[in-house]
């Protein structure tokens, strides 16, 4: 197959959409992949640290099973996110069909290269996530297991179970996508958005809200079998114990049997649906349009100032509503925020129930304060990140030839759109929740501070911003996503917790409260003065006088 290597490299590179890269972004996609790999290795390092802490004290079988289940869930979550992010690259797009079909390339080579690229990316993702923890965790768990178990068998069981769990989930998602691809092209693209959101919500919900069946009695009780039949992490926990020989319990054998059967079904269903989709989808991509003319009028939006500001703000809001790629980016941040907020509230409710106290109805309680701040921060960051990625970079010529007044108009329109899409929804949701649980005065105090804090974050994120959202080039290598992810995991929760404690102290005295509100307002005014842009709109990530090599 002479074309296999070329197609394999191209498909592996195109697991991420490269159309939004800047003209000078040569090599930045590789740098972005390196940053994702660094982020996964960082997670593996954090997992190793947790394993060392875990192994410092002896543990019971319940604790060991809990650790095995969590490791399986994390691997499945990462694989699920990988499958969702590579959703659009599973099948060739219209450009691939237009370029490759006239060339002497066999469909078998195209199909094989696509499968090889997806399998390589999936294997590298699992390997990077467990490159360090895949040897530390088995060693730590082996020390807590009763004697008679071979340590090498324990390591082998770990490296068989976790890839099998990831393969099961990837196969299940691929099977669902393949079945959806049998719909007409326009319907498939429309349904894909909801399937991606539903899948991500399911992953987060299972990870944070999964019931606990971590005793031999709970695993074998008949009334729990229906729930266990729908919880794959427990299947692969049983497979791990069955392969390692640590706990020869009949309940573990039943779970392992269920894991093997469902893994086979997932792989066969994914292979059949994928093959069927390739045989039928290529013609649909070439013959059916991706975008159909709308049959309904647009959603009414209020004016945002003069005509230019209103036009740019409407363009920004409607683009985010129509682009499923950008909605998925935002849904990732919101899903993480909802999950973390749900865990915080659930743990607080359980602690209050044991103490006989209704914690949520106490004014300025920490769970609701932390949840509102967390959702506000993630919504602003997710929307701002979505603004940086263009929807169709080649279509920004219309803005280049339009006589806009300069960066001040674009910044003003972007600010108002960002406030409308991020701060306003979170503020309204928080207002409904607080007015339901708290007295109106306490709710009003927090809502005022939340509005000032959210507006301050928006102004801070727009410092130096001289672009039109969704229409300017993007250099992913500049984002340093692995550094931002590590900082977010380690620093942001601590900062928000301190903010909650400070707000509780502020609410204790009305003089301190109004002084804090005045400080936030002054900081907002100062940041807005700093963020005043120039007159030139930045369409590219490099200077207009920079020489661009042709790479010939």
């Amino acid at each position: 197959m002479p074309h296999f290597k070329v197609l394999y490299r191209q498909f592996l590179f195109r697991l991420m959409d490269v159309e939004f890269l800047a003209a000078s972004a040569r090599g930045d996609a590789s740098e972005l992949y390196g940053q994702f790999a660094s982020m996964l290795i960082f997670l593996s390092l954090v997992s190793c640290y947790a394993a060392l802490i875990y192994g410092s004290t002896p543990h019971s079988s319940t604790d060991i099973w809990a650790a095995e289940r969590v490791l399986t869930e994390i691997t499945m979550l990462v694989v699920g996110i990988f499958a969702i992010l590579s959703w659009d690259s599973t099948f060739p797009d219209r450009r691939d069909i237009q370029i490759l079909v006239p060339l002497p390339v066999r469909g078998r080579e195209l199909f094989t290269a696509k499968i090889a690229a997806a399998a390589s990316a999936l294997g590298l993702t699992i390997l990077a996530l467990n490159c360090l923890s895949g040897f530390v965790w088995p060693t730590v768990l082996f020390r807590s297991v009763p004697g008679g178990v071979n340590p090498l068998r324990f390591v082998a069981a770990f490296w068989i179970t976790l890839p099998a769990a990831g393969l099961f989930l990837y196969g299940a998602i691929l099977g669902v996508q393949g079945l959806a691809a049998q719909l007409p092209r326009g319907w498939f693209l429309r349904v894909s958005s909801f399937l991606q959101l539903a899948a991500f919500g399911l992953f987060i919900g299972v990870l944070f809200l999964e019931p606990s069946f971590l005793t031999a009695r709970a695993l074998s009780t008949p009334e729990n079998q229906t729930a266990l039949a729908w919880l794959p992490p427990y299947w692969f926990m049983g497979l791990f114990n069955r392969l390692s020989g640590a706990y020869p319990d009949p309940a573990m054998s039943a779970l392992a049997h269920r894991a093997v059967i469902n893994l086979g079904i997932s792989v066969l269903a994914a292979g059949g649906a994928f093959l069927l989709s390739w045989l039928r989808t290529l013609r649909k991509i070439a013959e059916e349009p991706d975008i159909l003319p709308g049959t309904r009028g647009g959603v009414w939006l209020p004016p945002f100032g003069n005509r230019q500001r209103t036009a740019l703000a409407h363009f920004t809001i409607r683009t985010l509503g129509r682009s499923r790629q950008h909605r998925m980016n935002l849904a990732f941040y919101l899903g993480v925020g909802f999950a973390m907020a749900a865990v915080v509230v659930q743990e607080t409710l359980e602690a209050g129930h044991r103490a006989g106290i209704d914690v949520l109805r106490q004014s300025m309680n920490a769970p609701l304060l932390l949840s509102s701040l967390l959702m506000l921060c993630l919504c602003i960051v997710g929307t701002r990140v979505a603004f940086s990625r263009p929807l169709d970079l080649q279509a920004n010529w219309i803005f280049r030839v339009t006589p806009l007044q300069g960066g001040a108009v674009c910044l003003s329109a972007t600010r108002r759109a960002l406030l409308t899409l991020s701060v306003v929804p979170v503020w309204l949701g928080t207002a409904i929740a607080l007015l339901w649980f708290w007295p109106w005065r306490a709710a009003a105090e927090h809502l005022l501070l939340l509005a000032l804090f959210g507006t301050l974050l928006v102004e801070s994120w727009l410092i130096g911003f001289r672009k039109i959202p969704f229409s300017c080039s993007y250099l992913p290598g500049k984002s340093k996503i692995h550094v931002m992810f590590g900082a977010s995991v380690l620093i942001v929760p601590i900062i928000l917790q301190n903010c909650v404690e400070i707000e509780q102290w502020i609410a204790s005295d009305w003089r301190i409260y109004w002084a804090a509100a005045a400080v936030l307002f002054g900081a907002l005014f100062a940041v807005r003065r700093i963020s005043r842009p120039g007159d030139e709109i930045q369409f590219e990530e490099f200077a207009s006088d920079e020489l661009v090599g042709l790479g010939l």
Side-chain angles (χ1 to χ4, degrees):
M1 289 189 281
H3 307 105
F4 175 79
K5 292 183 179 179
V6 177
L7 292 174
Y8 172 76
R9 287 196 299 267
Q10 289 298 319
F11 286 145
L12 188 62
F13 176 75
R14 293 187 62 83
L15 285 174
M16 180 192 68
D17 186 9
V18 297
E19 282 302 305
F20 60 85
L21 297 181
S24 63
R26 183 180 58 184
D28 278 350
S30 301
E31 183 179 352
L32 182 62
Y33 289 142
Q35 291 180 7
F36 277 116
S38 301
M39 184 173 63
L40 294 176
I41 295 174
F42 171 77
L43 287 176
S44 184
L45 184 62
V46 173
S47 181
C48 290
Y49 179 72
L52 296 177
I53 297 177
Y54 179 90
S56 60
T57 57
H59 296 278
S60 62
S61 61
T62 300
D63 298 330
I64 296 175
W65 293 349
E68 294 170 355
R69 190 195 69 179
V70 170
L71 292 173
T72 304
E73 289 173 343
I74 293 175
T75 301
M76 296 180 73
L77 176 63
V78 172
V79 170
I81 294 175
F82 163 78
I84 291 175
L85 294 179
S86 61
W87 183 282
D88 293 326
S89 63
T90 303
F91 305 113
D93 56 19
R94 184 176 301 276
R95 183 183 52 190
D96 292 332
I97 299 300
Q98 293 173 347
I99 294 176
L100 296 177
V101 168
L103 299 178
V105 179
R106 295 181 179 180
R108 182 176 58 186
E109 294 179 343
L110 196 67
F111 178 79
T112 307
K114 199 70 173 180
I115 291 291
S120 300
L122 178 63
L124 290 175
T125 299
I126 297 176
L127 179 63
L129 178 64
N130 298 287
C131 61
L132 302 176
S133 59
F135 299 96
V136 177
W137 268 110
T139 304
V140 170
L141 295 176
F142 168 76
R143 295 176 180 175
S144 302
V145 174
V149 180
N150 189 341
L152 296 179
R153 181 179 177 182
F154 219 85
V155 175
F158 186 94
W159 280 102
I160 293 174
T161 302
L162 295 189
L167 180 61
F168 161 78
L169 186 60
Y170 185 74
I173 296 174
L174 194 60
V176 173
Q177 184 181 1
L179 293 176
Q182 307 310 310
L183 298 172
R185 180 66 177 171
W187 291 11
F188 167 69
L189 295 177
R190 188 169 298 178
V191 170
S192 294
S193 177
F194 297 100
L195 291 178
Q196 289 174 284
L197 293 175
F200 182 74
L202 180 62
F203 302 153
I204 296 295
V206 170
L207 178 63
F208 288 95
L209 304 177
E210 185 179 29
S212 179
F213 305 118
L214 294 175
T215 62
R217 181 178 178 181
L219 293 174
S220 58
T221 302
E223 53 265 24
N224 294 337
Q225 298 307 309
T226 303
L228 289 172
W230 293 94
L231 295 174
Y234 283 96
W235 309 344
F236 292 96
M237 181 190 72
L239 179 62
F240 180 85
N241 284 277
R242 182 64 177 172
L243 293 176
S244 64
Y247 294 97
D249 191 271
M252 290 294 177
S253 300
L255 292 173
H257 181 69
R258 186 172 291 166
V260 173
I261 292 177
N262 286 282
L263 176 60
I265 295 174
S266 173
V267 172
L268 292 177
F274 190 76
L275 180 60
L276 180 63
S277 299
W278 270 75
L279 294 176
R280 298 188 58 189
T281 304
L282 297 181
R283 179 174 297 178
K284 290 183 180 181
I285 295 174
E287 297 178 352
E288 299 181 9
D290 290 347
I291 301 176
L292 297 176
T295 57
R296 300 176 302 176
V299 179
W300 179 86
L301 292 174
F304 289 87
N306 58 27
R307 292 183 177 181
Q308 287 191 348
R309 289 184 174 88
T310 299
L312 290 175
H314 286 188
F315 165 78
T316 302
I317 296 173
R318 286 172 175 162
T319 301
L320 183 61
R322 293 171 180 172
S323 173
R324 58 192 181 89
Q325 292 90 350
H326 292 88
R327 290 200 306 268
M328 273 304 305
N329 292 342
L330 180 58
F332 175 79
Y333 290 91
L334 295 181
V336 173
F338 275 120
M340 296 177 67
V343 171
V344 171
V345 173
Q346 183 182 19
E347 292 181 353
T348 304
L349 287 176
E350 292 177 355
H353 180 71
R354 290 191 296 266
I357 302 174
D358 191 355
V359 180
L360 295 182
R361 294 201 174 272
Q362 296 179 354
S363 299
M364 294 294 174
N365 62 77
L368 291 182
L369 293 178
L370 183 60
S371 299
S372 61
L373 290 175
L374 182 64
M375 289 302 302
L376 180 68
C377 293
L378 290 177
C379 191
I380 293 174
V381 173
T383 308
R384 174 63 178 83
V385 171
F387 281 8
S388 299
R389 289 191 54 182
L391 179 61
D392 189 354
L393 187 58
Q394 297 178 354
N396 69 359
W397 62 269
I398 191 171
F399 293 106
R400 293 177 182 264
V401 300
T402 301
L404 296 176
Q405 294 181 358
V409 175
C410 297
L411 178 62
S412 177
T414 303
R415 178 191 300 115
R416 299 175 188 187
L418 185 56
L419 288 171
T420 303
L421 292 170
S422 58
V423 177
V424 173
V426 175
W427 190 89
L428 291 176
T430 304
I432 295 173
L434 296 188
L435 292 174
W436 180 268
F437 290 106
W438 294 359
W440 70 268
R441 180 170 296 179
E445 290 177 355
H446 176 64
L447 290 175
L448 176 60
L449 295 180
L450 187 68
L452 291 174
F453 182 70
T455 308
L456 178 61
L457 287 181
V458 168
E459 293 291 344
S460 300
W461 275 100
L462 292 178
I463 294 178
F465 188 83
R466 295 186 291 114
K467 296 181 178 180
I468 300 175
F470 306 114
S471 61
C472 300
S473 64
Y474 174 59
L475 281 177
K478 294 175 59 178
S479 60
K480 304 299 180 184
I481 187 172
H482 57 308
V483 178
M484 294 179 61
F485 178 81
S488 300
V489 171
L490 299 176
I491 299 175
V492 170
I494 300 176
I495 294 177
L496 292 182
Q497 184 63 40
N498 291 332
C499 290
V500 169
E501 296 176 357
I502 292 173
E503 184 173 357
Q504 289 176 333
W505 171 70
I506 289 173
S508 61
D509 192 333
W510 67 269
R511 290 168 294 188
I512 300 177
Y513 174 83
W514 288 110
V519 170
L520 285 176
F521 185 81
L524 174 62
F525 179 78
V527 172
R528 187 161 183 175
R529 295 283 294 180
I530 295 174
S531 62
R532 302 177 74 176
D535 294 332
E536 183 182 358
I537 299 175
Q538 183 182 2
F539 287 100
E540 291 290 346
E541 283 288 347
F542 59 93
S544 58
D545 58 348
E546 179 180 335
L547 296 178
V548 180
L550 297 178
L552 298 178

